[in-house]
Amino acid sequence: MPEFAVPPIDPMSITFQPPTGGMTPSGPVLSRRMSDLEGLFADTAAWRAARDEADPVVYEVASSPVPEAPGELPQSITTIHPGAVGGEFHMTKGHQHPNPQGEIYLGLSGTGGLLLFDGTTPKWIPMAPGVIGYIPPGWAHRSVNTGDEPYRFLAVYPGDAGHDYGWVLEHGMGWRVLRGAGEPRFAPFQAEPVAG
Ligand code: PAN
Ligand code: ZN
């Protein structure tokens, strides 16, 4: 066994709970409500109305007990509930890994997409059950539910990657993902307000 600055955890198995998107054993679980997503959606009036009316849970993230420590590979399962705000699909906040490291997503259920942005060029990876979306180092990433049912995916990432949310607030994600006729529609990030 090599020497480690932080001793690794023991080998373990983690069971995915398909009905809820939970993990057993479980680490931290977090819920992001509409009120937690200020500044994300282009249509501020629609966002405020959704927040004030019911303040729904937009997405939940269940984590395994694997710690965010160097050398470990923590996992999380994100469930984004269906819906849109001013025509813009429900999405995660999005972040950049300040320590530039890659990440793997695996679609588990529902339909969505992975929006990637390197500061210049946006890219879109359609996600569905069985699809692996690969996030190379240096690409900010956001997930979007483009369907009518919960979109759920597994993420596996290096434990010392870190999460920088300020980068996305400052630079945007290149595109906004809007409800279209059948397929999602993409608008430049600056376009606001967005008509529903
Ligand atoms: C994912 C995300 C998760 C929630 O586990 O953290 O989908 O998205 P936000 O963190 O942007 O709110 C991941 O990419 N981890 O690195
Ligand atoms: Zn990430």
Side-chain angles (χ1 to χ4, degrees):
M1 195 66 151
E3 289 289 316
F4 292 97
V6 180
I9 63 167
D10 287 336
M12 68 190 301
S13 100
I14 299 154
T15 307
F16 162 50
Q17 310 294 340
T20 60
M23 292 197 206
T24 309
S26 174
V29 177
L30 70 81
S31 244
R32 295 271 185 233
R33 290 187 175 274
M34 198 60 80
S35 51
D36 298 315
L37 304 181
E38 184 164 13
L40 244 68
F41 297 96
D43 190 336
T44 310
W47 168 77
R48 201 172 290 120
R51 180 199 62 184
D52 293 347
E53 196 187 323
D55 198 15
V57 172
V58 177
Y59 66 98
E60 292 153 293
V61 186
S63 305
S64 81
V66 175
E68 292 192 344
E72 303 280 11
L73 288 173
Q75 314 94 38
S76 63
I77 291 176
T78 301
T79 303
I80 309 177
H81 297 284
V85 174
E88 192 173 0
F89 282 120
H90 281 182
M91 57 181 155
T92 59
K93 289 168 80 168
H95 60 265
Q96 179 68 281
H97 295 162
N99 177 6
Q101 305 248 29
E103 178 163 9
I104 290 167
Y105 282 9
L106 170 65
L108 297 175
S109 58
T111 312
L114 177 48
L115 179 61
L116 299 139
F117 187 48
D118 65 355
T120 308
T121 310
K123 298 220 185 259
W124 175 252
I125 299 177
M127 294 290 294
V131 175
I132 294 173
Y134 179 59
I135 302 160
W139 288 79
H141 41 287
R142 161 176 288 161
S143 295
V144 185
N145 184 342
T146 57
D148 298 329
E149 50 183 290
Y151 162 53
R152 180 170 291 155
F153 61 95
L154 170 75
V156 184
Y157 57 98
D160 59 353
H163 292 83
D164 177 1
Y165 293 92
W167 191 94
V168 169
L169 288 176
E170 193 181 327
H171 297 90
M173 286 296 301
W175 283 333
R176 293 189 177 278
V177 189
L178 311 172
R179 236 191 245 295
E183 292 296 308
R185 193 161 63 81
F186 298 90
F189 190 78
Q190 293 79 7
E192 53 184 287
V194 174

Short mmCIF file of all heavy atoms in Angstrom, two decimals, residues 1-8:
data_model
loop_
_atom_site.label_atom_id
_atom_site.label_comp_id
_atom_site.label_asym_id
_atom_site.label_seq_id
_atom_site.Cartn_x
_atom_site.Cartn_y
_atom_site.Cartn_z
N MET A 1 0.85 -1.19 0.00
CA MET A 1 0.00 0.00 0.00
C MET A 1 0.89 1.25 0.00
O MET A 1 1.72 1.40 0.89
CB MET A 1 -0.86 -0.09 1.28
CG MET A 1 -2.06 0.81 1.35
SD MET A 1 -3.37 0.51 0.18
CE MET A 1 -4.78 1.08 1.08
N PRO A 2 0.71 2.17 -0.98
CA PRO A 2 1.50 3.41 -0.95
C PRO A 2 1.09 4.29 0.23
O PRO A 2 0.06 4.05 0.86
CB PRO A 2 1.15 4.08 -2.28
CG PRO A 2 -0.11 3.46 -2.73
CD PRO A 2 -0.21 2.10 -2.10
N GLU A 3 1.90 5.32 0.50
CA GLU A 3 1.57 6.28 1.57
C GLU A 3 0.58 7.32 1.02
O GLU A 3 0.73 7.79 -0.10
CB GLU A 3 2.85 7.01 1.99
CG GLU A 3 3.82 6.14 2.78
CD GLU A 3 3.31 5.81 4.18
OE1 GLU A 3 2.80 6.74 4.83
OE2 GLU A 3 3.39 4.63 4.57
N PHE A 4 -0.41 7.66 1.81
CA PHE A 4 -1.37 8.70 1.41
C PHE A 4 -1.40 9.80 2.46
O PHE A 4 -1.38 9.51 3.66
CB PHE A 4 -2.78 8.11 1.29
CG PHE A 4 -2.94 7.13 0.16
CD1 PHE A 4 -2.84 5.76 0.38
CD2 PHE A 4 -3.20 7.58 -1.14
CE1 PHE A 4 -2.99 4.86 -0.66
CE2 PHE A 4 -3.35 6.68 -2.18
CZ PHE A 4 -3.25 5.31 -1.95
N ALA A 5 -1.51 11.06 1.98
CA ALA A 5 -1.63 12.19 2.92
C ALA A 5 -2.94 12.05 3.70
O ALA A 5 -2.99 12.23 4.91
CB ALA A 5 -1.61 13.51 2.15
N VAL A 6 -4.04 11.72 2.97
CA VAL A 6 -5.33 11.44 3.62
C VAL A 6 -5.60 9.95 3.40
O VAL A 6 -5.67 9.52 2.24
CB VAL A 6 -6.47 12.27 2.97
CG1 VAL A 6 -7.80 11.97 3.64
CG2 VAL A 6 -6.15 13.75 3.03
N PRO A 7 -5.73 9.15 4.44
CA PRO A 7 -5.94 7.71 4.23
C PRO A 7 -7.22 7.44 3.44
O PRO A 7 -8.25 8.03 3.75
CB PRO A 7 -6.04 7.14 5.65
CG PRO A 7 -5.55 8.22 6.55
CD PRO A 7 -5.71 9.52 5.84
N PRO A 8 -7.17 6.59 2.40
CA PRO A 8 -8.39 6.29 1.63
C PRO A 8 -9.41 5.53 2.47
O PRO A 8 -9.06 4.95 3.49
CB PRO A 8 -7.90 5.38 0.49
CG PRO A 8 -6.41 5.42 0.53
CD PRO A 8 -6.00 5.87 1.89
#
